[in-house]
Amino acid sequence: MTPVAVVEAAFKRWDANTDVVADICSRWPLVDADVDNDVRPRVAQLDFLVREAVLSGAACAQMVLEQPCSLVNYTVKVLFEQNGVVVVNKPEEMRIDLPRGEGRRWPEERTVSDWFFARFPSTKARFCNQLDHATSGILVMASTKQAAGRVARSFETRNVRKTYLAIVLGHPTWEEVRLTNQLADGEGFARRVVESGGEDADTSVRVLQRGTWPRFSSAEAWVRAPVPAALVEV
């Protein structure tokens, strides 16, 4: 199936206007998207969120309309591999593995462990750092106990520095700030800030760049008009 056919079928399930699907799929990055490895699993993920009442069908359709990139990047990409150490870029909304006793949340769900086992059959994936399922970024793994030990020592001696990057809407009035809040589980899979009774969270945030999002302002490329946004380091 083509991206158009997959997205059109999804829009029908979501009771959304299918007239815009061909236009959506003509845009980068969907025009060259991998249907089986990216588009189909991403659509299945959105279907799951609709079934769980985390998102409405209308919200899913609107997100795809405004952010076609939400239907791509479901593939683990290797950044470095040497002497038993494997560094990859983990896609957003992908779990690194399945918790003990828990199955897949939808049939097409894939994990980083699935990718690792396909690349290194019969080898245990040793995760040297952790990333939440919603977070994309660098994940370090080891295929041997010795390699895992070397990486662990690098973290312990602070030879490795971890930072997070995020795009926030609006232009902060500050250059750097320290946020002290309490977090608690919210509806669905989200966490929220609470006044009391939550888990302490102390976060430093620094503005790296101010601009607009999406970066492209062409009406042919994006439905949403660019809005002020900033790239921050957390």
Side-chain angles (χ1 to χ4, degrees):
M1 295 180 70
T2 65
V4 172
V6 174
V7 178
E8 189 173 60
F11 269 50
K12 289 179 179 178
R13 291 193 298 274
W14 301 335
D15 294 325
N17 180 13
T18 59
D19 294 340
V20 297
V21 170
D23 177 59
I24 294 171
C25 293
S26 68
R27 304 178 205 156
W28 180 91
L30 278 177
V31 65
D32 296 319
D34 187 321
V35 175
D36 291 329
N37 291 319
D38 288 327
V39 180
R40 199 189 301 272
R42 284 298 190 194
V43 167
Q45 187 175 37
L46 293 178
D47 282 334
F48 165 76
L49 295 177
V50 171
R51 290 195 301 271
E52 295 294 312
V54 176
L55 291 175
S56 66
C60 289
Q62 187 69 17
M63 180 173 67
V64 172
L65 180 65
E66 296 179 351
Q67 304 176 47
C69 55
S70 63
L71 293 186
V72 297
N73 189 30
Y74 198 62
T75 304
V76 176
K77 296 180 175 61
V78 178
L79 303 177
F80 175 84
E81 182 179 348
Q82 189 176 60
N83 298 329
V85 176
V86 184
V87 181
V88 302
N89 184 17
K90 184 191 84 68
E92 71 277 5
E93 301 296 338
M94 176 183 284
R95 295 193 284 181
I96 62 174
D97 57 11
L98 299 178
R100 186 182 300 274
E102 183 176 326
R104 301 183 192 278
R105 294 179 295 187
W106 64 93
E108 298 85 355
E109 181 183 19
R110 297 201 299 267
T111 68
V112 179
S113 289
D114 293 332
W115 172 88
F116 190 91
F117 187 75
R119 190 177 181 92
F120 304 100
S122 303
T123 302
K124 177 183 177 181
R126 295 171 170 84
F127 293 99
C128 304
N129 68 311
Q130 300 286 320
L131 285 177
D132 291 340
H133 82 279
T135 304
S136 64
I138 293 177
L139 190 64
V140 184
M141 296 174 286
S143 59
T144 67
K145 185 177 181 180
Q146 293 76 15
R150 293 197 305 271
V151 176
R153 286 190 292 274
S154 294
F155 278 103
E156 291 169 359
T157 57
R158 299 188 181 277
N159 287 330
V160 178
R161 178 172 175 263
K162 295 189 294 183
T163 61
Y164 291 86
L165 300 179
I167 295 176
V168 298
L169 298 184
H171 288 168
T173 57
W174 38 263
E175 296 301 322
E176 189 167 355
V177 68
R178 181 177 178 181
L179 305 175
T180 302
N181 296 299
Q182 290 195 3
L183 301 179
D185 292 336
E187 296 182 1
F189 304 103
R191 305 200 79 192
R192 59 189 177 88
V193 176
V194 294
E195 294 294 331
S196 62
E199 180 182 346
D200 290 335
D202 191 359
T203 307
S204 295
V205 185
R206 180 166 65 97
V207 176
L208 299 180
Q209 185 177 350
R210 292 176 175 83
T212 59
W213 183 88
R215 292 177 59 189
F216 305 96
S217 59
S218 169
E220 292 77 24
W222 297 95
V223 173
R224 168 182 285 181
V227 296
L231 176 66
V232 300
E233 180 184 71
V234 181

